[in-house]
């Protein structure tokens, strides 16, 4: 039995795959070369060396250093499976032991970065309930071993029997989003259009004023923005497959690096529907979801957090069907709405017309935006708290904002600049609904 196999007796320490060091070396080499080009674009120069030679030195040096560090990390890292928890012991000089009780495991996903995927390896990502550092990674295992260990952890976390576990693996595909549709949707998204128009404007200005330095200074951030949009909207969501299992919805996606993610039904905290202006003309939507236990991905802009993407692009009927499955009773087109007051045009001269909140027996819904419309849906029993706020100008105009709090993520169910009396009534009613739903 190989060291990388998880099918072993309890309380026996195991190592990850020996090729972990190779993957780590490739990552370090890529980081070194990327740092070189970043330094060049920032005007730091080549330090008098030939560019090709410098790149080669950094590539080889990063590879050797990364492989050395990766090998030492692999040597001193072991994971232990016992009757109550998963322990990951690591550290070359300073020893550490990460303990993960099975009952705190929220989800276990499999990621295959490009180099690891080429070598037939995968990373196991374990999300736990609460805490700042709620994600733990185990790098790297054979793909089959990662799948086996994932099933073991979920079995112990949820108390599944072998028959239930086998049933859960039988998934029915709901939809596969064609790559061409993702590309077209990205090209028609507002952020891509703004970045493309900005690039053209900088190019025209540089040619008009004959200023190459200004062109370089403006084109680099815009080009980086375009690359980021394409990378996170197209490459990460390539061949997006949504399927249904017994425990929840399963997502598989990625062109270069492949990721397998599970969204348990009972962990869904809310859903946001994003409809950019051009998409609305075509009847397209993007669904994003708040899932309990997923670590917040800081620094990612709206719509670019891959972990929160439920459907990258979809027609309304399919989107509504998925929403109804995850949030029974939810109605994005709910009636009996409370709209923002016309007096709030000071804050949003056009957008105030599109701000409203409403609720039915199961969910609270808030919508806003005229360039990009966002409709947030939160089940009453997932409501964490409700807040009523008024700024100085709001008090003078008789306005107030209601905030229905949920875990940090794409769902933002706020009723902004409602009439003060209606806002207070909305807050009290939502508190009663949340209290009744939880009981």
């Amino acid at each position: 039995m190989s060291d990388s196999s998880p099918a072993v007796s309890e309380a026996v320490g195991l190592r990850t795959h020996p090729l972990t060091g190779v993957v780590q070396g490739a990552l370090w080499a890529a980081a070194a070369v990327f740092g070189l080009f970043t330094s060049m674009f920032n005007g730091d120069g080549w330090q008098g060396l030939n560019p090709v030679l410098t790149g080669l030195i950094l590539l080889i040096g990063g590879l050797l250093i990364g492989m050395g560090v990766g090998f030492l990390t692999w040597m001193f890292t072991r994971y232990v499976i016992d009757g109550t928890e998963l322990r990951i012991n690591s550290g070359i000089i300073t020893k550490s032991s990460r303990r993960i009780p099975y009952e705190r495991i929220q989800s276990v996903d499999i990621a295959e970065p490009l180099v690891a995927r080429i070598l037939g390896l995968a990373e196991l990502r374990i999300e736990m309930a609460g805490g700042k550092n709620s994600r733990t990674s185990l790098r790297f295992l054979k793909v089959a071993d990662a799948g086996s260990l994932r099933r073991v952890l979920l079995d112990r976390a949820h108390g599944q029997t072998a028959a239930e576990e086998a049933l859960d693996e039988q998934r029915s595909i709901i939809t596969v989003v064609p790559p061409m549709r993702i590309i077209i949707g990205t090209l028609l998204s507002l952020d891509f259009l703004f970045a493309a128009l900005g690039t053209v404007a900088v190019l025209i200005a540089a040619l008009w004023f004959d200023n190459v330095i200004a062109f370089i200074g403006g084109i680099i951030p815009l080009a980086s923005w375009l690359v980021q949009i394409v990378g996170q909207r197209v490459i990460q969501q390539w061949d997006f497959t949504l399927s249904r299992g017994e425990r929840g919805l399963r997502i598989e996606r990625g062109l270069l690096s492949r990721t397998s993610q599970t969204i348990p039904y009972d962990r869904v905290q809310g859903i946001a529907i994003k409809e950019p202006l051009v998409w609305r003309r075509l009847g397209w939507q993007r669904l994003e979801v708040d899932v309990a236990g997923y670590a917040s991905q800081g620094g990612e802009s709206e719509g670019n957090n891959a972990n929160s993407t439920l459907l990258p692009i979809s027609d309304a009927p399919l989107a509504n069907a998925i929403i109804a499955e995850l949030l029974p009773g939810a109605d994005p087109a709910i009636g009996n709405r409370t709209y923002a007051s016309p007096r709030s045009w000071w804050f949003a001269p056009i957008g105030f017309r599109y701000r409203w909140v409403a609720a039915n027996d199961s969910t609270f819904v808030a919508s806003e935006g005229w360039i990009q419309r966002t409709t947030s849906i939160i089940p009453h029993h997932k409501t964490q708290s409700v807040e009523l706020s008024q700024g100085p100008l709001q008090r003078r105009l008789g306005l107030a904002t209601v905030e229905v709090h949920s875990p940090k993520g794409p769902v933002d169910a706020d009723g902004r600049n409602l009439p003060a009396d209606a806002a207070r009534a909305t807050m009290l009613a939502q508190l009663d609904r949340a209290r009744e739903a939880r009981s």
Side-chain angles (χ1 to χ4, degrees):
M1 182 177 297
S2 66
D3 280 349
S4 60
S5 173
V8 297
S9 60
E10 295 180 356
V12 175
L14 299 172
R15 286 197 180 106
T16 54
H17 198 278
L19 289 179
T20 296
V22 176
V23 180
Q24 185 66 51
L27 295 176
W28 276 54
V33 174
F34 177 78
L36 172 66
F37 284 103
T38 301
S39 175
M40 178 193 70
F41 285 124
N42 286 337
D44 294 338
W46 298 91
Q47 304 299 324
L49 296 177
N50 181 280
V52 176
L53 179 60
T54 303
L56 187 61
I57 291 174
L58 288 175
L59 180 65
I60 296 175
L63 184 63
L64 294 177
I65 294 174
M67 289 181 62
V69 173
F71 177 77
L72 289 176
T73 302
W74 172 79
M75 280 288 295
F76 289 90
T77 299
R78 287 180 178 267
Y79 63 95
V80 180
I81 304 172
D82 62 21
T84 60
E85 63 185 8
L86 167 69
R87 297 196 305 274
I88 301 177
N89 302 320
S90 60
I92 301 174
I93 299 175
T94 302
K95 302 294 183 181
S96 65
S97 179
R98 187 74 185 269
R99 297 172 180 265
I100 306 171
Y102 298 131
E103 64 271 13
R104 290 196 62 213
I105 294 178
Q106 301 279 25
S107 63
V108 184
D109 298 330
I110 295 175
E112 301 174 59
L114 178 59
V115 179
R117 190 179 180 187
I118 293 173
L119 297 175
L121 305 179
E123 172 188 354
L124 205 65
R125 296 175 178 174
I126 305 164
E127 297 282 353
M128 296 178 292
K132 180 180 179 181
N133 300 314
S134 59
R135 171 180 290 180
T136 299
S137 296
L138 202 55
R139 300 178 180 177
F140 288 91
L141 305 168
K142 289 183 179 179
V143 173
D145 291 344
S148 298
L149 182 54
R150 176 183 178 273
R151 288 191 292 271
V152 169
L153 294 177
L154 290 177
D155 177 26
R156 301 194 178 189
H158 299 283
Q160 278 188 305
T161 63
E164 291 171 332
E165 180 182 316
L167 183 62
D168 185 56
E169 290 301 310
Q170 299 176 4
R171 303 187 302 274
S172 59
I173 294 178
I174 299 174
T175 185
V176 177
V177 183
M180 185 55 64
R181 194 175 195 187
I182 294 179
I183 294 173
I184 294 173
T186 300
L187 295 177
L188 295 178
S189 63
L190 295 175
D191 44 6
F192 185 89
L193 291 176
F194 289 152
L197 290 175
T199 302
V200 173
V202 169
L203 176 60
I204 293 175
L207 293 175
W208 182 266
F209 294 103
D210 193 23
N211 192 330
V212 177
I213 296 178
F215 170 71
I216 294 176
I219 203 67
I220 291 175
L222 287 170
S224 299
W225 190 15
L226 283 172
V227 170
Q228 183 184 37
I229 293 171
V230 172
Q232 295 181 333
R233 295 282 181 85
V234 178
I235 296 177
Q236 286 189 8
Q237 307 299 343
W238 190 269
D239 196 25
F240 188 99
T241 302
L242 181 67
S243 56
R244 183 185 295 107
E246 286 295 311
R247 187 182 297 117
L249 299 183
R250 188 76 173 269
I251 293 172
E252 297 181 15
R253 55 180 172 78
L255 175 61
L256 302 178
S257 300
R258 196 74 180 161
T259 300
S260 176
Q261 173 187 0
T262 300
I263 300 179
Y265 293 119
D266 58 344
R267 305 298 182 192
V268 174
Q269 308 295 298
I271 294 176
I273 306 171
K274 304 295 179 71
E275 300 173 274
L277 180 62
V278 180
W279 285 24
R280 289 205 301 273
R281 304 293 182 183
L282 302 172
W284 293 349
Q285 302 176 348
R286 181 172 72 247
L287 296 187
E288 299 182 3
V289 61
D290 276 347
V291 181
Y294 274 98
S296 176
Q297 304 298 303
E300 291 180 321
S301 60
E302 183 181 332
N304 290 334
N305 184 350
N307 276 344
S308 71
T309 301
L310 180 58
L311 270 177
I313 184 169
S314 169
D315 297 322
L318 175 60
N320 290 336
I322 298 301
I323 293 172
E325 181 169 349
L326 292 177
L327 304 178
D331 181 10
I334 190 172
N336 195 24
R337 302 170 178 175
T338 300
Y339 283 88
S341 170
R343 296 188 298 272
S344 67
W345 72 270
W346 291 92
F347 301 98
I350 300 176
F352 83 90
R353 301 175 184 273
Y354 303 92
R355 292 178 174 176
W356 56 266
V357 297
N360 60 14
D361 293 338
S362 59
T363 57
F364 180 88
V365 183
S367 183
E368 64 177 1
W370 65 282
I371 296 179
Q372 172 169 282
R373 185 171 300 161
T374 300
T375 303
S376 295
I377 308 172
I378 295 180
H380 296 319
H381 67 283
K382 298 295 186 179
T383 299
Q384 295 185 336
S385 62
V386 185
E387 178 182 338
L388 182 72
S389 62
Q390 282 184 298
L393 186 55
Q394 284 182 310
R395 289 196 298 270
R396 185 174 182 84
L397 296 174
L399 308 175
T401 295
V402 177
E403 299 179 14
V404 178
H405 296 154
S406 63
K408 183 178 180 181
V411 179
D412 185 16
D414 296 344
R416 304 179 193 276
N417 300 316
L418 306 178
D421 292 342
R424 182 171 295 277
T426 299
M427 178 194 68
L428 296 175
Q430 183 59 23
L431 286 173
D432 290 339
R433 295 188 198 100
R435 189 180 301 111
E436 182 178 353
R438 284 193 295 268
S439 63

